[in-house]
Amino acid sequence: MSELRDLYQEVILDHNKRPRNFGALEPADRRAIGHNPLCGDKLTVYVRLDGTRVADVRFEGQGCAISKASASMMTEMVKGLSRDDIAALFESFHHLVTAPDAGDEGDHLGKLTVFAGVREYPTRVKCATLSWHTLRAALEDEAPQPVTTE
Amino acid sequence: MNAINSTVRLQFDVDRLRAEFPILRQQIHGRPLVYLDNANTTQKPRAVLEALNHYYLESNANIHRANHLLSERATQAYEGAREKVRRFINARDVEEVIFTRGCTEAINLVAQSFARPRLREDDEILLTHLEHHSNIVPWQIVCEATGARLRVAPISDRGELDLEQLVALMQERTRLVAIAHVSNALGTVLPVGEIVREAHARGIPVLVDGAQAAPHLPVDVQALDCDFYAFSGHKLYGPTGVGALYGKRALLDAMPPYQGGGSMIASVSFEKTTYNTVPYRFEAGTPNIAGVVGFGAAVDFLISCDLDAVRVHEHELLGRATQQLAEIPDLRIIGEAHEKCGVVSFVYDDVHPHDVGTVLDQEGVAVRAGQHCAQPVMDRYGVPATVRASFALYNTAEDVDALVRAVWRVRDLFGA
């Protein structure tokens, strides 16, 4: 059970139960759909832009605790950030959940470090990154195609 | 009934059977492996592993195309497996058994070689709502090519097919009925014999997707009178990458080839090629010879286990699991058909099945959490996915208890 607590940290369980910034954003400048056919996770990310910065971001959809908490915490982290800041943050986050030697990005990632436990569960990496891939699609493309992590 | 059960139980020695499956002896995350993902694929008994080994160590050569001794041995082993499979499903002729890559390829073969040339615009193929994607998508592909349409018979909240509604959909333009024998997502056993009778009374041929049935139920294709029966080897203790299609001889004889290549021809010139007879016409190229040999060994193994006893044993496991899981608050069993086989699917409160799967894995319990290649079934029940525990002859009552204990752990962790 203790190994599982490393994956399912209290913060993650809390964001799963009470996701922040959950629900559609109307009106939104950008919108993208992400889908993980392996487990059926599906979410939509909505973005309102202020120049190249994310003025507001929300998400809706269904998913496992990891994907929902990751989406929820992502929306909290990226508000006010520029596209480049977000790309750098995603890169660090991806490293955190995949690289065996990760662990020193603490300052940069802030509370996203609670997802470090995911790296012990390779099948769950896609859950943790689905919302990030979807946000990236929303930011990169004015009429994004649905992204899939398969 | 009790008296019969206890007699059978005396003959069925699950510990002895488990000893034939070396993989089951290991620990997962420090706990004994409890393998309950058998509807996905089963583990392989020593007899199958030895057959594969023996084939490669003693007999490996290409079949049907060389006159040396090894080729003769390989050919005999391959054709011997065909006869074993014929006997297993009680086909009349050994030529009615075609080896494929699996159940999926068997269905695709029928879709392309049987259905496609016959289908005209507005013709219909009739399915049920509980089909696996591999008994949906091949038909959609031929429908797209021909302008034919799919019709889908509904299922009830319990996961049962309403035979009357299915029969009502058998119309003038219905060219084929394609149904599962057992639902992989719900465990429902379909009344295949009755469905075939009703369809034949209207002149409609029937394909049965037997992937989930063949490991658990007696399959007698002559008694069922179905026109095609598709199943895979790896779900009945054989190797992956091999399956079989049974087809009635007269239908197979009239079907054009599925793929072109070696073995499937009688003679080839650039002007004209004539095709080989069945089953070879449908087995282009060098097949999965070792896989077929292993498939034959798996069939032998399964028959040697006393199929009636296996059925009683697996039914008891399913009953025990269903009863104990139903006692867990906020757990909902998906699929409560009167007649079920091998599978219990469930969702637990608002905990996502993927999370349940991870907790169970940590407890050593292997299940499948997902959509089970049956998205229409998930949509029917309004769930994103389910957790599915599925049983095989080597599972024990203790396995069921470990599953149930692990589900209680989910409750501890997620505080439902």
Side-chain angles (χ1 to χ4, degrees), chain B residues 102-396:
Chain B
C103 189
T104 297
E105 191 182 46
I107 296 172
N108 276 279
L109 193 163
V110 177
Q112 293 297 330
S113 287
F114 178 77
R116 189 173 177 163
R118 285 171 171 72
L119 288 174
R120 301 287 172 267
E121 205 175 334
D122 297 330
D123 279 350
E124 293 176 355
I125 292 173
L126 180 54
L127 315 176
T128 79
H129 203 113
L130 52 65
E131 301 308 321
H132 186 282
H133 295 167
S134 61
N135 199 28
I136 301 173
V137 183
W139 309 116
Q140 287 175 322
I141 291 172
V142 293
C143 282
E144 242 168 69
T146 59
R149 285 191 301 246
L150 289 189
R151 300 300 300 272
V152 181
I155 53 171
S156 70
D157 289 345
R158 301 179 67 84
E160 287 171 332
L161 177 71
D162 184 333
L163 190 60
E164 273 179 35
Q165 286 184 295
L166 178 78
V167 171
L169 287 168
M170 294 178 185
Q171 295 287 326
E172 203 182 317
R173 302 300 298 264
T174 312
R175 295 290 174 256
L176 183 78
V177 175
I179 45 160
H181 195 166
V182 172
S183 154
N184 75 308
L186 303 171
T188 310
V189 181
L190 269 65
V192 171
E194 281 174 76
I195 293 170
V196 171
R197 271 196 300 283
E198 295 287 353
H200 283 182
R202 293 158 180 80
I204 307 165
V206 179
L207 171 134
V208 180
D209 167 3
Q212 295 297 336
H216 306 289
L217 301 176
V219 175
D220 180 334
V221 292
Q222 291 189 73
L224 287 176
D225 197 31
C226 56
D227 300 276
F228 300 100
Y229 196 96
F231 62 111
S232 60
H234 74 98
K235 291 189 200 290
L236 54 79
Y237 312 102
T240 54
V242 64
L245 172 69
Y246 158 82
K248 282 185 178 166
R249 181 68 191 257
L251 298 178
L252 294 177
D253 278 339
M255 282 158 57
Y258 172 51
Q259 294 179 329
S263 275
M264 52 75 70
I265 45 81
S267 75
V268 176
S269 73
F270 287 113
E271 289 70 40
K272 179 157 180 64
T273 290
T274 53
Y275 304 125
N276 206 336
T277 52
V278 297
Y280 310 108
R281 187 191 303 163
F282 300 107
E283 294 179 1
T286 299
N288 182 357
I289 307 170
V292 164
V293 171
F295 189 7
V299 165
D300 275 349
F301 169 80
L302 188 50
I303 291 171
S304 77
C305 291
D306 182 353
L307 291 173
D308 289 331
V310 166
R311 212 169 321 130
V312 171
H313 175 70
E314 290 177 344
H315 200 70
E316 283 178 357
L317 295 175
L318 180 61
R320 186 183 183 96
T322 304
Q323 192 192 342
Q324 291 189 22
L325 288 170
E327 285 168 9
I328 299 176
D330 304 317
L331 187 144
R332 175 183 166 209
I333 289 175
I334 306 287
E336 298 175 294
H338 181 65
E339 229 189 303
K340 278 182 69 171
C341 171
V343 164
V344 57
S345 254
F346 61 92
V347 290
Y348 179 62
D349 198 43
D350 60 354
V351 183
H352 194 280
H354 213 171
D355 295 315
V356 178
T358 294
V359 177
L360 265 52
D361 177 56
Q362 208 62 37
E363 299 291 319
V365 180
V367 295
R368 181 164 173 191
Q371 304 183 324
H372 318 296
C373 301
Q375 279 187 34
V377 175
M378 302 299 114
D379 294 343
R380 168 68 179 76
Y381 288 93
V383 294
T386 72
V387 183
R388 180 187 70 182
S390 52
F391 304 99
L393 52 81
Y394 43 66
N395 288 124
T396 62

Side-chain angles (χ1 to χ4, degrees), chain A residues 9-145:
Chain A
Q9 305 235 355
E10 281 306 329
V11 182
I12 292 178
L13 293 174
D14 176 58
H15 276 265
N16 174 47
K17 271 248 182 297
R18 300 185 301 115
R20 324 294 198 265
N21 301 308
F22 190 78
L25 178 64
E26 300 289 354
D29 297 311
R30 299 286 175 83
R31 197 179 67 112
I33 295 168
H35 185 211
N36 180 353
L38 180 72
C39 52
D41 287 3
K42 205 168 197 177
L43 55 85
T44 307
V45 172
Y46 302 86
V47 178
R48 194 176 300 147
L49 292 170
D50 175 10
T52 62
R53 290 189 180 277
V54 169
D56 201 359
V57 54
R58 294 178 69 78
F59 82 102
E60 63 181 353
Q62 57 188 7
C64 64
I66 304 298
S67 81
K68 232 155 100 187
S70 176
S72 171
M73 293 173 73
M74 176 190 80
T75 58
E76 289 191 324
M77 288 290 287
V78 301
K79 255 184 226 182
L81 296 187
S82 71
R83 217 176 286 192
D84 291 345
D85 293 341
I86 290 169
L89 195 58
F90 182 19
E91 198 178 320
S92 303
F93 181 72
H94 197 269
H95 187 68
L96 174 83
V97 297
T98 53
D101 59 342
D104 52 358
E105 296 91 344
D107 295 346
H108 185 38
L109 284 169
K111 61 185 178 180
L112 293 180
T113 52
V114 295
F115 289 98
V118 170
R119 80 172 80 105
E120 302 299 326
Y121 299 82
T123 60
R124 308 307 295 274
V125 171
K126 287 170 178 171
C127 310
T129 56
L130 178 62
S131 57
W132 288 90
H133 283 291
T134 312
L135 173 63
R136 185 167 66 184
L139 291 176
E140 277 175 1
D141 195 346
E142 282 181 37
Q145 295 293 309

